[in-house]
Amino acid sequence: MLAAPNLMAQLAGDRPKQTPGVKVLNPHGRVPVSLIIDDSTCLVNLAHFCIPQFAEVFPDRYMQPWKTLPREIPDAFVRKFGEWCHEHGVKGKYSVIPYPACVGWLDRELPGWSKKELQESIKLVQTLLTPDWDFHPEMVTHTWIINTKTGRPYDERTDRFMENWRWTDGRSADEIADYLTYALRILHNIGIPCEGITTPGGFGNRALPALSQASLQSCRDIFKAEIPHYFRHLYTDERSVAPRVEYASGLDGSDPQCVVSIIGCTGDWFGGWDGLEAGSVDQFITEDLKSGRMVEVIKRGEPAVMVCHWPGIYFNGQEVGFNIFKEIVARLEAAYKGKLIWMKLSEIARYWAAKELTRIETVDGKIQLHAPFACPAFTLQVLDANRKVTHNGTPLQLHEASGELICFDLPKGLTEIS
Ligand SMILES: [Zn+2]
């Protein structure tokens, strides 16, 4: 048999020339940190409702006492969590599953809750969380695949028709984009903006190139997202967790495109996806601030993106995951004051797109930046940072210029450093 082509590899796409004398650093020279929250939605405690559906397909694997788990994660907790995070400058991604475990539709009815409760819950997400969090669908139900023509699950009750498992196997980018589009449209209907998607469980695992392209297409289609991104991978070993800028094209034209894969760097060591497994702070950063996964990744200078699940943060009212998170934030602050920068996933995606896709040339002693995407706090290492930065002849304000570090908001188009 011939070796199969590498069907698993997503393509990077185009890359511009970058002169070797100039290096793009982390924003403000600080290491990005972020928190990914999976399995959240309005009101519905996904764990309570998804476990019996998973158990229908895998009876031996999902034996959790789901009936004893609360059916709701209350808005009072969303408010408490969101306010605490805002006070501490925390940013990240918050999933909003559009038809959670087939319980109800966020853009129609959520049986078990009044229309008013649903509307207030959506409003809370829009007002409280918008400044600090990106919103993602985590596909439509996070359990059964639904037929996008009818809105109903299929009759076949196997792992081939569950979002977490085999449905995406062998499917094309267009088929997967149709499914993502369906999920995104529900959030669009209720005024929840999205620039990215999160994959539920193993969704897309055996169709990585198609998943990447489908994320690019669907977020551009429904939300006109300039730089779509997605969360599929997390690594807790030596592999790089730097974001991957994929399918870049048209960098010199009027419609540059790419999609960014944001990679998590921790497991859920908060409270588990079901809210039954307590984790520990030390896995992230130890009390002496010297070891733990966050310390490892921050030392490398790569974005340190933690991953948790909303039922584990709430932990059935005991808030075990939330308490772990609070202590992590306190330890990070103690260890790295002024050296970290909390960012949403969309902000990390934009930074990496600009970092990798800006053409950087030296012409007549000037450095020319040809940027397909604008980017706040673009930070460069250049030989002499005491320079003038201009865009279309107008000087740009510098955030910082000291030693070899120069930081400014990069506009789209041509910027010169002279
Ligand atoms: Zn999930």
Side-chain angles (χ1 to χ4, degrees):
M1 255 181 89
L2 288 171
N6 190 357
L7 294 174
M8 303 308 290
Q10 306 95 315
L11 299 178
D14 298 346
R15 283 297 182 275
K17 283 212 180 77
Q18 294 188 329
T19 183
V22 181
K23 196 175 161 206
V24 185
L25 305 175
N26 278 329
H28 298 287
R30 303 187 200 173
V31 180
V33 281
S34 194
L35 176 67
I36 284 178
I37 301 175
D38 282 0
D39 294 12
S40 37
T41 182
C42 290
L43 299 163
V44 172
N45 178 7
L46 187 77
H48 171 83
F49 290 96
C50 75
I51 292 167
Q53 296 176 33
F54 293 168
E56 194 176 332
V57 176
F58 302 103
D60 324 328
R61 276 167 47 188
Y62 292 93
M63 320 274 270
Q64 290 93 335
W66 58 273
K67 283 202 181 182
T68 66
L69 303 178
R71 60 191 268 283
E72 175 183 288
I73 299 181
D75 276 349
F77 181 67
V78 177
R79 186 179 297 282
K80 181 177 172 184
F81 177 87
E83 285 174 352
W84 188 92
C85 287
H86 188 72
E87 274 166 32
H88 291 81
V90 167
K91 293 186 179 191
K93 182 278 296 183
Y94 189 84
S95 280
V96 182
I97 304 169
Y99 180 33
C102 306
V103 173
W105 302 90
L106 296 193
D107 65 343
R108 292 185 192 170
E109 295 293 332
L110 193 59
W113 289 270
S114 70
K115 189 88 180 172
K116 187 161 171 277
E117 285 172 312
L118 172 59
Q119 282 165 347
E120 282 173 359
S121 189
I122 292 168
K123 191 144 193 227
L124 180 64
V125 170
Q126 288 166 331
T127 52
L128 178 70
L129 301 184
T130 297
D132 306 318
W133 302 88
D134 285 305
F135 303 119
H136 285 185
E138 202 170 326
M139 276 10 128
V140 183
T141 70
H142 205 308
T143 57
W144 301 110
I145 290 284
I146 53 111
N147 181 332
T148 58
K149 303 272 186 309
T150 64
R152 290 167 60 109
Y154 289 89
D155 293 335
E156 186 178 326
R157 309 295 266 187
T158 70
D159 62 350
R160 291 180 52 233
F161 284 89
M162 284 223 120
E163 292 182 353
N164 289 28
W165 285 280
R166 307 302 297 254
W167 182 79
T168 46
D169 293 13
R171 291 195 191 269
S172 69
D174 284 347
E175 284 172 292
I176 295 174
D178 173 67
Y179 203 76
L180 305 193
T181 298
Y182 192 90
L184 289 163
R185 201 179 295 283
I186 296 167
L187 298 187
H188 190 265
N189 289 346
I190 57 171
I192 302 271
C194 305
E195 296 179 38
I197 60 105
T198 289
T199 56
F203 189 98
N205 234 353
R206 295 178 192 81
L208 295 176
L211 173 75
S212 177
Q213 293 166 82
S215 304
L216 172 57
Q217 280 176 33
S218 58
C219 294
R220 277 174 62 97
D221 273 5
I222 303 297
F223 286 100
K224 314 247 173 302
E226 191 184 19
I227 305 170
H229 64 273
Y230 66 99
F231 168 52
R232 158 69 266 163
H233 303 288
L234 72 82
Y235 303 134
T236 55
D237 52 23
E238 297 73 36
R239 276 175 286 181
S240 169
V241 291
R244 297 176 187 162
V245 180
E246 298 170 348
Y247 296 98
S249 69
L251 300 180
D252 288 319
S254 58
D255 185 27
Q257 296 191 16
C258 71
V259 59
V260 182
S261 170
I262 301 286
I263 300 176
C265 81
T266 72
D268 183 338
W269 306 320
F270 294 89
W273 65 270
D274 52 11
L276 292 167
E277 254 178 87
S280 90
V281 184
D282 290 353
Q283 281 179 279
F284 298 91
I285 175 167
T286 51
E287 206 175 349
D288 66 5
L289 314 177
K290 289 193 175 122
S291 53
R293 179 61 176 163
M294 292 299 280
V295 176
E296 276 172 30
V297 175
I298 290 167
K299 203 180 286 170
R300 286 190 210 161
E302 292 182 346
V305 180
M306 293 172 268
V307 180
C308 73
H309 294 80
W310 190 232
I313 294 295
Y314 181 56
F315 214 84
N316 312 307
Q318 295 172 50
E319 304 182 10
V320 171
F322 185 24
N323 289 332
I324 288 173
F325 181 63
K326 286 184 199 165
E327 181 60 22
I328 295 169
V329 172
R331 289 185 189 178
L332 289 176
E333 177 73 6
Y336 302 104
K337 197 168 176 47
K339 294 187 175 134
L340 304 179
I341 178 167
W342 284 93
M343 295 173 86
K344 298 188 195 189
L345 301 195
S346 58
E347 293 168 339
I348 296 176
R350 176 171 292 277
Y351 201 87
W352 252 257
K355 175 184 162 108
E356 298 205 357
L357 304 180
T358 298
R359 178 151 54 88
I360 305 177
E361 296 169 321
T362 317
V363 181
D364 301 334
K366 287 180 190 167
I367 300 164
Q368 289 192 337
L369 308 173
H370 300 264
F373 304 109
C375 179
F378 198 62
T379 306
L380 297 170
Q381 185 181 38
V382 292
L383 261 185
D384 174 11
N386 196 6
R387 295 178 180 224
K388 200 168 140 198
V389 183
T390 53
H391 177 65
N392 298 334
T394 314
L396 296 181
Q397 179 145 19
L398 303 183
H399 297 309
E400 287 160 62
S402 58
E404 297 190 338
L405 184 148
I406 185 167
C407 173
F408 53 93
D409 293 341
L410 177 70
K412 193 174 166 134
L414 174 64
T415 295
E416 289 190 319
I417 305 175
S418 55

